[in-house]
């Protein structure tokens, strides 16, 4: 009920994004039902039907990816302060997002079933006659359990992906800046005040705590125990306490020593952050770049091997090896996308940057984890389209209406995901943009910085896409 109320009270832009999820779910469900119809029409070739069903994983993954992007930008299910007190914590909001996604995808699946039954002639009118007649299984009874199982794949996958992405995570505490210390000789740490060699052996280093206690006062915080000023102060006061020629342990010496060690450690470690504060969140955008390059290389190798060993016949889908190669290529580009975007931002700030390039580069580095992965997926789709154009030539298989529907679904979902990620990044930096405007930055400068970012990304990802597409199409065009 809460998900329905939030859906009804959402803005028009949110409804449009959810409608995109429903349309993508309808197209994917229709492709799954077409694979079922092909299996019913050709019971003697189960391998071809299984291959068609395997190729439906591409639009299924694209639909789930779009659903995750739409759920991340939904303002109705965003955590807010005070909602946990009324039972709407992070876990409950995640469940609401997953339920809303399941409702949108379920609506698309119902529309796909109605469209499929209408083309078969089961609802009203004559059955459709054309190139997709074999996939409709006209004249044969449609197994309802199998159809419902295939249609339930899209809502289940999309809602599971949303729940996995938006699941509550335990905050990771920031590491203490002075927690790793290996003694005074070669003292190792990140404190603001470091102890030099021989600090403990200086004159008066071990007398400062005792003198402070004997005099009834406290040591000055600006003069640590091992500093020369402390020794001079002790000499001016008449030297060390009585009996300190050979330092004696007064009553409670263990407690005093522990307190002195604690003060020296605190002074050497510098100011510490509160343990209950929010953890430092600095996205590591470049950590997955080597893995992305490795997976991309593996995908190109698999495509080369599949193109050399198998050849696509007429009226058949490409082999499973080509599908695995394209999946690995897309995964590699998606993993390398944030690192490449971060690198693009660094290159913009190189060689004495001005205010415009500095602003554009810093924004790219900050948004690398948001827009880098969708950019990598778009590059993978464009390279796959290039390779498909080399595969579906005059001598290859025919590019039928179902293949066109699948290609449009994958391309549309990836582009919509990129635009949704751009909107999310714009909302995330809204406070920074308002602060710049209050400081007197002209709006034309912000628009110019956006244009510089777009040009830099195009200059980096454009040639990369062409290179990957050419390498992927070489084994398929032979």
């Amino acid at each position: 009920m809460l998900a329905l109320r939030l859906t009804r009270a959402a803005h028009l832009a949110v409804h449009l994004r959810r409608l995109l999820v429903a349309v993508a779910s309808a197209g994917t469900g229709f492709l799954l039902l077409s694979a079922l119809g092909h299996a019913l029409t050709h019971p003697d070739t189960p391998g071809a039907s299984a291959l068609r069903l395997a190729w439906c994983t591409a639009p299924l993954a694209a639909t789930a990816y779009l659903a995750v992007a739409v759920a991340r930008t939904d303002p109705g299910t965003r955590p807010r302060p005070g909602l946990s007190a009324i039972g709407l914590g992070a876990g409950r909001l995640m469940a609401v997002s997953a339920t809303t996604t399941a409702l949108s995808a379920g609506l698309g699946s119902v529309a796909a079933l109605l469209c499929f039954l209408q083309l078969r002639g089961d609802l009203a009118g004559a059955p459709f006659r054309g190139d997709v007649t074999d996939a409709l299984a006209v004249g044969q009874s449609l197994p309802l359990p199998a159809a419902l199982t295939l249609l339930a794949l899209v809502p289940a996958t999309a809602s599971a992906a949303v729940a996995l992405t938006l699941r509550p995570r335990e905050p990771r505490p920031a590491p203490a800046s002075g927690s790793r210390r290996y003694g005074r000789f070669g003292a190792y740490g990140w404190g603001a005040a470091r102890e030099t060699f021989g600090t403990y052996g200086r004159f008066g280093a071990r007398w400062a705590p005792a003198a402070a206690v004997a005099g009834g006062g406290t040591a000055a915080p600006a003069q640590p125990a091992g500093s020369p000023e402390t020794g001079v102060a002790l000499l001016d006061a008449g030297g060390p306490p009585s009996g300190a020629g050979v330092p004696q342990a007064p009553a409670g010496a263990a407690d005093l020593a522990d307190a002195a060690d604690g003060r020296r450690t605190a002074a050497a470690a510098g100011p510490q952050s509160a343990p209950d504060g929010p953890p430092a969140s600095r996205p590591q955008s470049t950590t997955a770049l080597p893995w992305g390059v490795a997976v991309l290389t593996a995908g190109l190798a698999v495509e080369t091997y599949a193109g050399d060993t198998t050849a696509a016949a007429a009226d058949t889908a490409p082999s499973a090896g080509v599908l695995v190669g394209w999946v690995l290529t897309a995964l590699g580009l998606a993993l390398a996308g944030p690192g490449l975007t971060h690198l693009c931002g660094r290159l913009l700030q190189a060689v004495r940057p001005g205010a415009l390039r500095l602003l554009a580069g810093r924004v790219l580095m900050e948004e690398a984890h948001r827009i880098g992965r969708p950019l990598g997926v778009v590059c993978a789709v464009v390279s796959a389209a290039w390779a498909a154009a080399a595969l579906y030539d005059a001598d290859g298989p025919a590019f039928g209406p179902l293949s066109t529907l699948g290609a449009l679904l994958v391309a549309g979902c990836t582009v919509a995901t990129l635009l949704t990620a751009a909107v999310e990044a714009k909302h995330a930096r809204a406070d920074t943009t308002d602060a710049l405007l209050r400081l007197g930055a002209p709006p034309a400068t912000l628009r110019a910085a956006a244009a510089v970012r777009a040009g830099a990304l195009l200059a980096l990802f454009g040639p990369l896409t062409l290179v990957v597409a050419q390498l992927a199409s070489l084994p398929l065009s032979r």
Side-chain angles (χ1 to χ4, degrees):
M1 186 60 67
L2 180 60
L4 291 176
R5 290 183 178 181
L6 291 176
T7 302
R8 186 182 60 180
H11 296 286
L12 180 60
V14 179
H15 284 304
L16 290 178
R17 290 195 288 265
R18 290 172 180 168
L19 182 60
L20 286 177
V21 174
V23 171
S25 175
T28 306
F30 187 83
L31 289 177
L32 291 171
L33 291 177
S34 300
L36 176 61
H38 185 274
L40 293 175
T41 308
H42 303 85
D44 52 341
T45 57
S49 302
L51 186 59
R52 283 174 174 263
L53 186 61
W55 274 98
C56 292
T57 56
L60 179 62
T63 303
Y65 195 39
L66 175 61
V68 169
V70 170
R72 287 172 60 92
T73 56
D74 192 354
T77 57
R78 189 171 301 166
R80 296 181 181 89
L83 289 181
S84 298
I86 59 174
L88 291 178
R92 183 71 180 275
L93 291 178
M94 178 269 295
V96 170
S97 299
T99 305
T100 305
T101 303
L103 290 175
S104 302
L107 179 62
S109 297
V110 171
L113 178 61
L114 294 177
C115 182
F116 188 79
L117 294 177
Q118 178 65 33
L119 292 178
R120 278 171 49 90
D122 295 339
L123 297 181
F128 179 79
R129 301 294 179 182
D131 296 336
V132 295
T133 305
D134 293 341
L136 295 176
V138 178
Q140 300 186 18
S141 60
L142 187 67
L144 188 59
L148 293 181
T149 301
L150 290 177
L151 289 176
L153 281 178
V154 184
T157 304
S159 59
V162 169
L164 184 63
T165 304
L166 302 182
R167 69 187 186 278
R169 294 178 175 87
E170 293 293 335
R172 296 182 178 180
S177 59
S179 58
R180 297 182 62 186
R181 308 194 63 84
Y182 298 147
R184 288 177 175 79
F185 181 77
Y188 180 77
W190 299 280
R194 294 171 179 257
E195 290 184 348
T196 58
F197 178 76
T199 300
Y200 190 70
R202 287 193 185 129
F203 180 74
R206 290 166 288 179
W207 299 332
V213 174
T218 58
Q223 296 179 0
S227 61
E229 290 81 359
T230 305
V232 174
L234 289 173
L235 289 177
D236 294 339
S242 60
V246 177
Q248 303 292 330
D255 297 336
L256 291 176
D258 293 339
D261 291 340
R263 283 194 296 269
R264 284 196 294 269
T265 304
Q272 300 291 334
S273 59
D276 297 335
S281 58
R282 185 171 62 91
Q284 300 292 337
S285 303
T286 59
T287 54
L289 182 58
W291 293 101
V293 174
V295 175
L296 174 61
T297 306
L300 293 176
V302 171
E303 288 186 30
T304 303
Y305 179 78
D308 290 339
T309 56
T310 60
D315 300 330
T316 60
S319 63
V322 176
L323 174 61
V324 173
W326 283 357
V327 169
L328 290 177
T329 302
L331 181 60
L333 287 174
L335 289 176
L340 293 176
T341 306
H342 194 274
L343 176 63
C344 186
R346 282 192 176 275
L347 292 178
L348 274 179
Q349 303 174 71
V351 193
R352 301 179 63 182
L356 186 61
R357 286 198 294 132
L358 187 63
L359 178 61
R362 288 301 177 93
V363 171
L364 274 183
M365 292 173 60
E366 184 66 24
E367 297 175 354
H369 63 287
R370 288 191 180 96
I371 64 175
R373 192 162 297 171
L375 270 176
V377 175
V378 168
C379 291
V381 170
V382 172
S383 62
W386 187 290
L391 177 64
Y392 288 92
D393 53 2
D395 299 332
F399 201 79
L402 294 179
S403 302
T404 304
L405 176 61
L408 290 178
L409 272 176
V410 173
C413 288
T414 51
V415 173
T417 302
L418 178 60
L419 296 178
T420 305
V423 171
E424 180 188 4
K426 181 180 179 181
H427 290 166
R429 67 171 185 272
D431 296 338
T432 305
T433 304
D434 294 341
L436 289 175
L437 292 176
R438 287 195 303 268
L439 290 175
T445 303
L446 301 180
R447 291 192 294 268
V452 169
R453 292 197 301 270
L457 291 175
L458 184 61
L460 179 64
F461 282 92
L464 175 64
T465 304
L466 293 179
V467 169
V468 174
Q470 189 65 27
L471 292 176
S473 63
L474 282 178
L476 300 178
S477 59
R478 292 197 296 265

